[in-house]
Amino acid sequence: MKKRNNVRNIAIIAHVDHGKTTLVDKMLRFTSTMDVLQDERVMDSNDIERERGITILAKNTGVVYGDYEINIVDTPGHSDFSGEVERTLQMVEGFLLLVDSAEGVLPGTRFVLMKALQLNLKPIVLINKIDRKDADIERTESEVHDLFLDLAINESQLDFPVLYGSSKLGFVTKDPNIQTNSMEPLFEAILNHIPAPESTEDYLQLLVTNLDHSDFLGTIAIGRVFNGQINVGQQFVACKDDYVSKPMKITKIYKFKGLSKVEVEQASFGDIVAVTGFNEPVTIGTTLCQVDKPIPHDYVKIDEPTLSMYISVNDSPFCGQEGKFLTSRQIKERLEKELKTNVALRVDTSDTTDSFKISGRGQLHLGILLENMRREGFEFQVSAPEVIYKTINGIKQEPIEYLVLDVQEEHQGVVMEFLGRKKAEMKNMTHYDNGRVKIEFEVPSRGLLGFRGQFLTDTRGTGIANFSFLGYQPYKGDIITRTKGALVSMDNGSVTAYALDTLQERGTLFVAPGDKVYQGMIIGEHSRDNDLDVNPTKQKKLTNMRASGTDDAVKLDPPRKMDLETCMEWIQPDELIEVTPQSIRLRKKVLRASMRK
């Protein structure tokens, strides 16, 4: 067995918004890997990540600390992107778990820690954001130890260093009462507690965990060399399960340093690299091997999807007016491209040629894909999300989420009553001194469809909800879905203020004066449980008489903003979301009112 004592590979894991990407910024700056960081969160490379402040795609970087090379993987914290976590944790020997000192252990913390411990990785814990006024370091540390006791697979995983710090201020310390201006304790902990890479064989094994593309170099495979070494000009084969490719030749090898790739001639076991030289398609989970030793490396199985929906060609009266890519062939090609890198996604053909079934980890996972397609110029329509049931030992089972709520005590009753109707089971409740209460539930995934909007209404916008996939349990029975009907346009044309003035008494409107509508388009939420066909284009009849008081300006409430994810929560099985680069509309599957009766 060989060791590379000057190399460390570590993943940074945490719940959403606990400071992972900001910490990587400070690590790059402390090691002078990047002297000047123009932006915060430099690892958040895509627009949606920057807008929402969350990590969606796992990314690699590397720093040099003294004589050591440290490869760092920044992972997502939301369980909807757990496919990213699962595929990247295979590249490292250890992990740094960040926990917010005020928010404590949340579902995302539990989820990513469970995945890391299942791979038997060595832990380091960092209690982050200790500069917050509401920080409760003692409670958070106690929660972390309880979580490890609950999830640890063996006793050695309970032996880990605990550090304290602030990603924002750029310091880490061993004593929470002493603020430093250095990241040194973190780097020393990585060197002392994370094992150096080991090689058990002399032959080459490079496991591909991510893919990129270059117009000049073709496919770029990103992964880790587990055994042997790889050289520019070397012949190799790509192996996965029983498949072995024809021999190919390495043309470029890159290592990661900061935000850039550094070209090298050779890489050895323990290195995380990007390589080129493919003339056959390669997939995530493939192992690059010597021609005479086609032995694939073990690859962790990705969890199955829990939610599905249908995406199809837009056939509304407004189709083709705003998008560039409209046809089923273009949608199919885009989904096939996504499958190459989005390992948790599944795409199946449906009964019709212009519709595809997409399955993913959750509403956010599918919503980000649809948002990306929309920004690229695609136009399409999607159905209501449906959970994926399984039959295990002859029993129908459904996906269950672990839900943690932080609400004011005065809103506790209404929230618990609402979740009770959704078949949720309360598991734990903790009262805090500041008048807030933390409640933990196990709730069916389908019970959380449409939950967010109602929860924010019930808590007057003060509640915090976090959830992650827990597993499959026996079917809990029927759940009441949306309790209010839709206001559906019965005519084509432009919306008038005169018509909306009378319609706003009937419910909440989604449209404003001047908006174009068509027959069958949903223009609002009815205040009752039934759908109501209305005419939002009706104009005031003109006469040559003036009546006192009737010509006052119309006063309308602002329309409710329905973004893509809100629409996914709101719609029913007989409805569709029409998505274009400029607009998101709701509609009935059957547009003509007489045909829906």
Side-chain angles (χ1 to χ4, degrees):
M1 187 175 290
K2 299 175 184 174
K3 260 191 180 183
R4 288 189 69 197
N5 289 316
N6 66 328
V7 175
R8 296 292 186 274
N9 296 313
I10 186 166
I12 301 183
I13 64 174
H15 182 79
V16 176
D17 206 25
H18 277 199
K20 296 182 301 298
T21 307
T22 306
L23 181 71
V24 175
D25 281 2
K26 296 299 189 285
M27 292 173 79
L28 291 171
R29 184 173 285 162
F30 182 74
T31 55
S32 299
T33 306
M34 296 182 70
D35 294 328
V36 181
L37 295 177
Q38 282 83 8
D39 302 309
E40 292 184 348
R41 304 195 319 272
V42 291
M43 297 290 282
D44 284 348
S45 52
N46 107 7
D47 290 343
I48 299 179
E49 287 182 320
R50 287 191 169 282
E51 286 167 21
R52 303 190 184 207
I54 60 172
T55 303
I56 296 169
L57 304 170
K59 299 169 199 72
N60 303 80
T61 187
V63 300
V64 176
Y65 179 72
D67 297 330
Y68 293 87
E69 290 179 29
I70 301 174
N71 293 310
I72 303 167
V73 182
D74 183 18
T75 64
H78 199 292
S79 63
D80 275 26
F81 309 115
S82 52
E84 295 287 307
V85 178
E86 288 157 358
R87 69 175 174 77
T88 49
L89 284 180
Q90 299 168 77
M91 296 197 288
V92 298
E93 278 80 22
F95 64 92
L96 175 65
L97 175 70
L98 262 69
V99 186
D100 188 309
S101 60
E103 294 182 4
V105 169
L106 290 172
T109 318
R110 184 185 187 89
F111 182 85
V112 291
L113 179 61
M114 180 176 68
K115 291 295 178 188
L117 294 178
Q118 283 170 355
L119 290 168
N120 209 20
L121 304 178
K122 286 287 181 188
I124 297 173
V125 172
L126 173 59
I127 309 292
N128 196 26
K129 304 188 184 182
I130 64 170
D131 55 313
R132 282 181 62 158
K133 290 178 182 174
D134 56 347
D136 191 339
I137 298 168
E138 212 172 293
R139 172 180 61 82
T140 301
E141 195 169 338
S142 173
E143 286 180 359
V144 169
H145 283 286
D146 289 345
L147 186 62
F148 269 89
L149 280 169
D150 191 21
L151 297 178
I153 295 167
N154 56 57
E155 281 188 27
S156 67
Q157 294 177 333
L158 299 176
D159 179 24
F160 53 85
V162 180
L163 302 171
Y164 312 88
S166 165
S167 298
K168 186 178 178 183
L169 299 180
F171 77 89
V172 174
T173 176
K174 292 180 180 179
D175 184 344
N177 299 311
I178 301 173
Q179 179 173 331
T180 67
N181 58 359
S182 172
M183 302 286 287
E184 196 171 319
L186 173 59
F187 284 98
E188 292 301 321
I190 291 171
L191 299 183
N192 295 330
H193 293 276
I194 304 301
E198 295 177 347
S199 174
T200 54
E201 307 290 348
D202 285 333
Y203 52 79
L204 170 66
Q205 283 187 317
L206 189 159
L207 180 65
V208 177
T209 57
N210 202 359
L211 294 173
D212 203 349
H213 185 82
S214 160
D215 291 339
F216 302 103
L217 300 169
T219 300
I220 302 172
I222 299 163
R224 168 168 165 177
V225 184
F226 277 93
N227 286 308
Q229 62 182 39
I230 189 165
N231 302 286
V232 172
Q234 178 180 344
Q235 286 209 322
F236 71 95
V237 289
C239 314
K240 189 174 184 182
D241 301 326
D242 298 329
Y243 169 76
V244 179
S245 73
K246 292 176 183 173
M248 296 176 273
K249 187 186 285 187
I250 296 291
T251 55
K252 299 273 187 186
I253 302 174
Y254 298 94
K255 285 187 179 180
F256 294 90
K257 187 178 181 187
L259 297 185
S260 55
K261 299 187 184 87
V262 180
E263 191 172 342
V264 294
E265 290 296 309
Q266 182 188 79
S268 298
F269 67 91
D271 286 332
I272 295 176
V273 294
V275 299
T276 64
F278 300 94
N279 47 33
E280 284 189 26
V282 63
T283 58
I284 290 171
T286 298
T287 307
L288 309 188
C289 305
Q290 287 173 202
V291 176
D292 58 338
K293 287 273 188 181
I295 304 171
H297 192 274
D298 292 338
Y299 183 66
V300 173
K301 190 173 181 291
I302 302 292
D303 286 348
E304 292 297 311
T306 58
L307 201 68
S308 68
M309 59 199 307
Y310 287 89
I311 178 169
S312 57
V313 172
N314 184 17
D315 62 3
S316 86
F318 292 169
C319 67
Q321 293 182 12
E322 297 174 357
K324 289 191 295 184
F325 307 114
L326 317 169
T327 66
S328 60
R329 178 183 60 80
Q330 289 167 328
I331 293 171
K332 181 171 183 277
E333 286 174 357
R334 177 62 181 82
L335 293 175
E336 286 172 348
K337 178 186 170 189
E338 185 72 19
L339 281 173
K340 290 178 181 176
T341 53
N342 195 335
V343 291
L345 185 73
R346 302 284 183 276
V347 177
D348 302 296
T349 52
S350 66
D351 300 338
T352 60
T353 54
D354 60 355
S355 177
F356 306 92
K357 182 182 180 182
I358 56 173
S359 307
R361 284 293 177 79
Q363 211 163 292
L364 188 59
H365 182 209
L366 295 177
I368 294 291
L369 166 63
L370 300 177
E371 181 64 33
N372 277 325
M373 290 177 65
R374 175 190 176 211
R375 292 181 183 205
E376 291 164 18
F378 282 85
E379 189 174 302
F380 51 86
Q381 57 193 24
V382 289
S383 67
E386 302 169 8
V387 300
I388 299 171
Y389 298 103
K390 285 184 178 179
T391 303
I392 303 172
N393 298 327
I395 299 169
K396 183 180 179 181
Q397 306 225 352
E398 65 174 325
I400 303 293
E401 307 282 339
Y402 173 63
L403 172 69
V404 177
L405 303 180
D406 185 331
V407 297
Q408 292 176 347
E409 286 181 346
E410 65 203 73
H411 301 137
Q412 173 186 334
V414 67
V415 169
M416 290 177 68
E417 182 188 350
F418 175 77
L419 284 168
R421 296 197 297 270
K422 300 293 184 180
K423 309 289 185 186
E425 291 179 27
M426 191 179 79
K427 293 296 179 182
N428 198 12
M429 182 187 291
T430 310
H431 288 268
Y432 297 134
D433 297 337
N434 59 2
R436 295 184 74 87
V437 59
K438 176 179 172 182
I439 322 172
E440 299 170 41
F441 295 92
E442 290 181 10
V443 57
S445 296
R446 60 200 167 100
L448 292 179
L449 295 175
F451 165 74
R452 185 180 61 168
Q454 186 64 45
F455 173 71
L456 288 174
T457 302
D458 290 343
T459 61
R460 305 291 185 270
T462 62
I464 301 167
N466 290 286
F467 55 87
S468 68
F469 176 64
L470 184 66
Y472 275 81
Q473 292 181 14
Y475 182 69
K476 305 290 183 186
D478 293 339
I479 290 178
I480 299 167
T481 53
R482 190 177 87 211
T483 55
K484 294 181 178 176
L487 296 174
V488 187
S489 173
M490 55 198 294
D491 211 343
N492 304 325
S494 293
V495 174
T496 64
Y498 172 73
L500 295 188
D501 189 31
T502 53
L503 290 180
Q504 67 181 0
E505 299 167 11
R506 300 282 194 161
T508 306
L509 298 171
F510 303 158
V511 293
D515 289 351
K516 296 274 193 289
V517 296
Y518 53 80
Q519 184 182 15
M521 180 172 152
I522 296 170
I523 60 130
E525 181 180 77
H526 193 196
S527 55
R528 301 191 178 182
D529 60 1
N530 63 309
D531 292 342
L532 184 68
D533 290 301
V534 297
N535 184 3
T537 65
K538 187 164 72 173
Q539 299 191 357
K540 184 178 180 182
K541 287 189 169 57
L542 300 177
T543 69
N544 58 359
M545 301 288 289
R546 292 192 64 180
S548 173
T550 58
D551 289 337
D552 291 343
V554 171
K555 292 179 182 175
L556 295 174
D557 295 331
R560 185 196 293 179
K561 187 172 171 17
M562 297 293 282
D563 59 25
L564 185 54
E565 280 165 50
T566 308
C567 290
M568 287 169 69
E569 289 186 344
W570 191 83
I571 66 168
Q572 296 281 45
D574 68 330
E575 296 163 353
L576 295 170
I577 310 169
E578 180 186 350
V579 183
T580 77
Q582 296 172 32
S583 311
I584 293 172
R585 305 181 186 95
L586 288 158
R587 52 162 285 190
K588 289 292 183 182
K589 282 184 179 177
V590 179
L591 295 178
R592 289 179 60 185
S594 58
M595 304 283 283
R596 292 197 303 271
K597 297 291 190 253

